[in-house]
Amino acid sequence: MKKLGLLILSMFFISSAFLAQESKTKQGHTNQNKFKQLKELLPTPNLQRTASGAPGIKYTQQKVDYTMDILLDDAKTRIYGDETITYHNNSDDTLPYLWVQLDQNMRAADSKTPDIQTSRIPSKTSKTRFNKAYIETPFDGGFKIESVKNIDGSNLSHTINQTMMRINLAQPLASGEKFQFKIKWWYNINNHRTQGGRSGYEHFTENRNNNYVIAQFYPRMCVYDNVEGWQNDQFWGRSEFALEFGDFTVNITTPEDHMLGATGILQNPEEVFTRKELKRLEKAKKTFDKPVIIRTQKEAEKIEKTKSKKTKTWKFVAKNVRDYAFASSRKFIFDAMAVDINGKTVMAQSLYSKEANPLYGDHSTRAVAQTLKTYSRYTFDYPYHKAISVDGQMGMEYPQICFNPGRPNPDGTYSDRTKYRMIKVTIHEVGHNFFPMIVNSDERQWTWMDEGLNSYMEMLAELDYDPNFPITRGYPKNIVRYMAGDQSRIAPIMSKGDHVYSFGSNAYGKPATALWILRETIMGKELFDHAFKTYAQRWKFKHPTPADFFRTMEDASGVDLDWFWRGWFYTTDVTDIGIEGVRKFYAKDATNETIEFIEDTSEGLSINKPKKAKSKYFYEITYNKPGGLVMPIIVEFTYDDGTKQKKMYPAEIWRYNDKQVTKAVHSDKQITKIVVDPELETADVDTSNNSFPRNKEDGFSKFKNKMKN
């Protein structure tokens, strides 16, 4: 009876275990395959944005025109402005109100930007920082809006919410209609060298002069589209701008002795340049091999010693641009040269103080010219008439003009590090003319769409400028440290810039690396270049989204890249592919009809090569993947005669098993070494498992025992 009870109990446990196993095997799951399509993450295609990634037949975008009179008050370091805005509602929607960006309000006394920054009391600090943080009166920044009026001069209802202003329309603006209104304003210009900022002035104690680099200086309309509606996210200082295209008529009044550069075509050169400068400008328009000096250092040094009390007005017209900026100073040296863009002459120009010479004189305008050539080759011909690099001692970009860092030592010498950094930033900022000034993505939402794509293109221009250019961002090996870092401080690329820790690595470095890997390793130059150019040409002077980029790259290349976008852009997974082990076999004639493979555990040569067989050596190589990213397996074989052979298995090799795969290899030469990713093409975060044998004890014959155990 006791034995019967034990038997029944044993059968109960066996049955329970069996049922549990049955239940486990029948339990369902969602598709977790790394190669599943992105359809659930991408928006549904429609008549405005197609499934191919191209603009649809119903695609629309708004247009905003500006007429502005600007006064630069050098004595008070202030900007005064009076603007008329014409808003064209090209959408199918009726708009009950409009939204305007007031970016300067980030610097207002009541700004919330400082409040969202964490802070601590330091153990010690400099007196300068102490005074600035605890004693000095806060800078009185921000727009001082004097009036907002209808075109007939009557007051226009409006509501200011930090860096945004809502225009309350008396009547909704119907599709196809336009609305005009006026804003009058002024603000105190910040010293960007001491107070920070994306624009402002730099003060020089010698002769008490200022270099002005002015942007975000006027109330600007927000973007309205079918993706975000109104893009009226607050400006906290990091994530940049979303802007509509339009036409600008801008009159800028400055001290008479200032040299100025700005967005747009100058309408009155004979009123603002000397005869000598006009003659030099004409020469520059025909000089394609080197910059021509328009205002020399000697002339600029003489001018900066005195301050004219008279003024002059620079008159500009800019067609189909998304923004406006200018730079002005009596200290500026001015040079220019012509650039041939597919038969069209474009002017590359630079404005810089003597403190930046000879570095800027040697390289600035040449770097501008190279950028226009390289970017035009890979995207579309540069459509504007000029591009200007300004000694602004920051890195910021605007249509046709940008502000860049870099200065030599006081004696005029400069190191390679200083030179290459200045050239790098200049190329990057000039390159922004293409992304996002023309391919006009939403910087506030998707920083990587302009910074990442531009950082990738920057690499190509740098290598064109100097084949030995020391590229620091974009090569796969250079992103490894970031990707292998603390996961709690890493965000996916598909994150808003305001919300990431390592902004530079996330928005610039990693997406640039991703594109470099696509071009150099996964797709190949021909397919990638065609797809990338297709994207740029489809979306120039339009508003693309990430989905438009992803879809176009696949549509124009015929390469399914959903697995790549998912891994690199939507996750923080890393690449780590290694060699688990290797087994060696030799073939033996078993019968007249059969060949038998026998594992060779020795380190010697295989024996009994079958008649007429080309291969003498046979191997089973098992690769593992501790990292979350699926990537191609790039493997290099070294043979006993010293020769090498490279083989790449597509990423799809991981489609059935995301952890481990085995490949059979045969050769007439004995393999002595195997290396995964020998040229560091995939941003592999751990190369300690990339070679086989890894040491003397870990030879070919050892893997069999390891597999058994």
Side-chain angles (χ1 to χ4, degrees), residues 605-632:
L605 298 177
S606 296
I607 58 174
N608 295 338
K609 174 183 175 183
K611 295 178 181 178
K612 298 182 180 181
K614 294 182 179 179
S615 297
K616 185 187 298 184
Y617 303 98
F618 304 86
Y619 303 89
E620 270 189 7
I621 306 171
T622 298
Y623 303 93
N624 59 10
K625 190 172 71 64
L629 287 181
V630 287
M631 290 290 283

Side-chain angles (χ1 to χ4, degrees), residues 12 37 95 105 115 237 268 289 316 462 473 475 496 529 565 614 704:
F12 171 77
Q37 297 298 286
L95 305 178
N105 283 1
D115 295 342
N268 61 333
D289 58 341
F316 290 91
E462 288 168 350
R473 178 182 281 160
Y475 284 151
K496 191 174 180 181
D529 289 350
W565 310 131
K614 294 182 179 179
K704 179 181 179 181

Side-chain angles (χ1 to χ4, degrees), residues 575-580 624 626 674-676 680 684-695 698:
T575 305
D576 184 10
I577 298 173
I579 302 172
E580 180 71 21
N624 59 10
I674 306 171
V675 179
V676 168
L680 306 178
D684 195 314
V685 301
D686 181 7
T687 58
S688 66
N689 58 352
N690 286 29
S691 299
F692 196 93
R694 279 183 281 277
N695 52 59
D698 194 9

Side-chain angles (χ1 to χ4, degrees), residues 10 57 84 172 278 377 387 404 458 464 481 582 600 648 695:
S10 299
I57 58 174
T84 298
L278 287 171
R377 187 166 75 251
N404 303 311
E458 172 199 328
D464 282 348
R481 183 175 180 182
V582 180
D600 183 358
M648 186 175 83
N695 52 59

Side-chain angles (χ1 to χ4, degrees), residues 309-543:
K309 294 182 179 180
K310 297 180 180 180
T311 63
K312 63 184 176 185
T313 299
W314 305 69
K315 300 176 181 179
F316 290 91
V317 171
K319 299 289 187 180
N320 204 22
V321 295
R322 72 167 219 162
D323 200 3
Y324 199 92
F326 67 93
S328 184
S329 176
R330 60 179 54 85
K331 290 175 61 62
F332 281 153
I333 303 163
F334 178 22
D335 72 35
M337 66 181 285
V339 186
D340 182 356
I341 303 296
N342 213 9
K344 175 187 173 183
T345 298
V346 175
M347 297 306 296
Q349 303 177 353
S350 293
L351 296 170
Y352 48 98
S353 56
K354 67 174 186 276
E355 288 78 8
N357 216 16
L359 177 61
Y360 266 68
D362 291 343
H363 294 286
S364 179
T365 297
R366 296 176 189 274
V368 174
Q370 184 61 67
T371 306
L372 298 179
K373 292 176 184 177
T374 301
Y375 278 62
S376 295
R377 187 166 75 251
Y378 288 104
T379 58
F380 45 78
D381 289 351
Y382 183 69
Y384 300 128
H385 73 294
K386 70 181 178 188
I388 311 172
S389 167
V390 181
D391 161 29
Q393 297 311 297
M394 65 174 74
M396 272 306 297
E397 71 281 356
Y398 304 94
Q400 305 169 24
I401 188 169
C402 58
F403 314 145
N404 303 311
R407 283 183 181 151
N409 301 316
D411 64 358
T413 62
Y414 52 85
S415 65
D416 281 348
R417 181 178 181 180
T418 297
K419 177 186 74 172
Y420 283 121
R421 179 176 181 269
M422 175 264 183
I423 296 171
K424 173 184 175 63
V425 178
T426 300
I427 289 174
H428 182 91
E429 305 306 342
V430 174
H432 272 306
N433 277 288
F434 294 79
F435 307 95
M437 301 304 155
I438 298 172
V439 182
N440 191 9
S441 57
D442 179 355
E443 298 179 271
R444 188 65 52 85
Q445 184 72 19
W446 304 115
T447 306
W448 69 267
M449 286 196 72
D450 72 292
E451 298 296 358
L453 271 60
N454 187 44
S455 293
Y456 156 73
M457 281 298 306
E458 172 199 328
M459 299 169 69
L460 302 181
E462 288 168 350
L463 293 173
D464 282 348
Y465 192 86
D466 180 351
N468 298 313
F469 201 99
I471 292 175
T472 57
R473 178 182 281 160
Y475 284 151
K477 65 180 181 180
N478 294 341
I479 200 67
V480 166
R481 183 175 180 182
Y482 166 70
M483 293 182 67
D486 181 358
Q487 281 285 328
S488 69
R489 299 184 65 85
I490 299 177
I493 291 175
M494 293 291 287
S495 301
K496 191 174 180 181
D498 287 328
H499 305 155
V500 301
Y501 292 100
S502 300
F503 185 66
S505 295
N506 177 278
Y508 296 66
K510 187 178 177 184
T513 301
L515 298 188
W516 185 266
I517 291 174
L518 281 178
R519 182 177 192 256
E520 299 295 321
T521 301
I522 295 172
M523 299 173 69
K525 292 181 175 65
E526 183 178 356
L527 287 176
F528 180 91
D529 289 350
H530 175 77
F532 193 80
K533 177 176 281 192
T534 299
Y535 165 72
Q537 294 184 344
R538 278 179 174 178
W539 289 99
K540 63 181 179 180
F541 298 111
K542 295 182 176 67
H543 299 299

